[in-house]
Amino acid sequence: MSRGNVARFWEWGRKIICVGRNYAEHARELRNELPTEPVLFLKPPTAYVKEGSPILVPHYSSTLHHEVELGVVVGRAGREIPQTSAMEHVAGYALCLDMTARDVQEQCKAKGLPWTLAKAFDTSCPVSDFIPKERIPDPAGVELWLRVNSVTRQRGSTAHMIFSVPYLISYISRVMALEEGDLILTGTPKGVGAVHEHDELQAGIEGVISMTFRVSKQAAVHN
Ligand SMILES: O=C(O)/C=C/C(=O)CC(=O)C(=O)O
Ligand SMILES: [Mg+2]
């Protein structure tokens, strides 16, 4: 069966590969050391949510944080991709949120456990429409912003990424094969913080795209 156009990448069921601690000021605000190589984790495709549907606070978390990020949509599969040809594998971009159950993440970190519960729950990856590659000539020259209830919380330039988009594509493709329709979240600038039920989140890439989401609570889960 044809998967259709990669511009609807969120319908493809492909990997969401996330990079953490890729901005020095964000690493510092969470009292983390600067990474010497990219910190990677995954979200499942069930994490996707589009405008018009709510972001859900997981029933097991009381501190859901926003993280605005530039997403890179993979347009050509590859393994062991050199940095010099990495951009040939990019179809385009998306504005993304890496919603994070921060309280659960802190517990996982304290116990030395993976971050799956904190990062991979349903609706943990709100995404914008696809942004064709030509609309962002330089992924290191993008201004990201996020407002909660009209108050600016995050504003930062991708110029401050520790590891560039070509470096990340090359690095990730030496760990796992990249496939058409995969999405790479490139990390968040400083200013992450909590959101609550009924809050309105607006996020944007300056001059390119913006999106709006509401926050709801996940229904209680009974055994
Ligand atoms: O190590 C921590 O305390 C938190 C790390 C993150 O949540 C990493 C990211 O997702 C990010 O920097 O964007
Ligand atoms: Mg993140």
Side-chain angles (χ1 to χ4, degrees):
M1 195 181 79
S2 164
R3 289 178 182 276
N5 192 317
V6 75
R8 295 183 70 83
F9 63 90
W10 58 88
E11 293 177 346
W12 283 40
R14 294 293 206 202
K15 303 185 285 300
I16 307 171
I17 306 135
C18 307
V19 179
R21 305 177 184 168
N22 199 23
Y23 290 77
E25 288 190 338
H26 170 59
R28 283 194 204 102
E29 76 182 342
L30 294 183
R31 295 177 300 283
N32 290 309
E33 291 188 356
L34 298 191
T36 53
E37 52 185 278
V39 174
L40 301 184
F41 57 93
L42 295 169
K43 290 180 190 276
T46 43
Y48 281 128
V49 60
K50 294 285 296 170
E51 264 183 306
S53 296
I55 297 168
L56 300 176
V57 183
H59 63 89
Y60 50 80
S61 171
S62 57
T63 314
L64 181 63
H65 272 197
H66 55 78
E67 297 188 356
V68 66
E69 310 201 1
L70 176 67
V72 178
V73 180
V74 175
R76 194 203 298 172
R79 282 195 172 88
E80 300 186 11
I81 300 167
Q83 269 195 74
T84 47
S85 55
M87 294 308 291
E88 294 167 21
H89 293 259
V90 175
Y93 301 92
L95 173 62
C96 306
L97 304 182
D98 169 15
M99 298 307 297
T100 302
R102 196 70 73 195
D103 50 348
V104 178
Q105 187 186 37
E106 291 301 332
Q107 291 159 18
C108 293
K109 285 169 64 179
K111 293 179 192 164
L113 293 173
W115 297 351
T116 308
L117 269 66
K119 292 284 197 178
F121 54 90
D122 292 351
T123 77
S124 62
C125 191
V127 285
S128 72
D129 284 343
F130 178 76
I131 304 165
K133 192 179 183 175
E134 308 70 57
R135 292 210 52 208
I136 298 187
D138 178 10
V142 162
E143 183 83 8
L144 300 168
W145 57 265
L146 180 136
R147 293 198 276 267
V148 179
N149 302 329
S150 304
V151 176
T152 299
R153 294 271 190 93
Q154 291 190 271
R155 179 169 277 279
S157 168
T158 54
H160 298 130
M161 281 185 192
I162 298 172
F163 302 108
S164 69
V165 168
Y167 184 93
L168 291 172
I169 290 171
S170 180
Y171 182 91
I172 294 166
S173 74
R174 286 163 208 276
V175 177
M176 64 190 91
L178 284 174
E179 300 167 287
E180 195 179 358
D182 283 350
L183 177 71
I184 301 171
L185 266 61
T186 55
T188 195
K190 70 171 178 184
V192 301
V195 296
H196 304 97
E197 192 178 11
H198 307 307
D199 280 351
E200 183 185 76
L201 273 71
Q202 288 175 295
I205 296 177
E206 198 65 55
V208 178
I209 205 164
S210 66
M211 62 184 187
T212 304
F213 285 88
R214 284 244 169 227
V215 179
S216 292
K217 269 200 167 139
Q218 189 186 41
V221 172
H222 303 288
N223 288 327

